[in-house]
Amino acid sequence: MLQENENRLRALVGDETLARQILDLIHEDEAARHAELIRKQSEGLKRARDSGVRLGRPPRPRSPASSRACTICI
C-alpha cells in the first residue's frame, strides 16, 4: 500500500493502534494475493513446459559469415 494511503487511513481512523491493525490485515491480504499469483504463474509455466512449449526468446540464427574464421590478416 502506498504511504500516502496509509497516512490517509491513519487520519480517518484516528486511533493509531486500530489503524496499525487494519494496515496489517491489508498487508497480509496483499501478500496472500501475491503468493497466489506467483503460485498460479509457476503452475502455468510448469504445465506449458510439460506440454513441450519452449519458453523465452528464440535462438538467433547464425549467419554463415560469423562461423568462418577471419580472413583479413594485418
Side-chain angles (χ1 to χ4, degrees), residues 1 5 19 27 33 37 50 73:
M1 175 178 274
N5 291 339
H27 287 294
R33 286 177 190 225
L37 185 94
D50 291 345
C73 298

Side-chain angles (χ1 to χ4, degrees), residues 1 6 25 27 33 41 47-48 56 70-71:
M1 175 178 274
E6 287 186 17
L25 285 172
H27 287 294
R33 286 177 190 225
Q41 183 181 27
R47 216 176 9 256
C70 180
T71 58

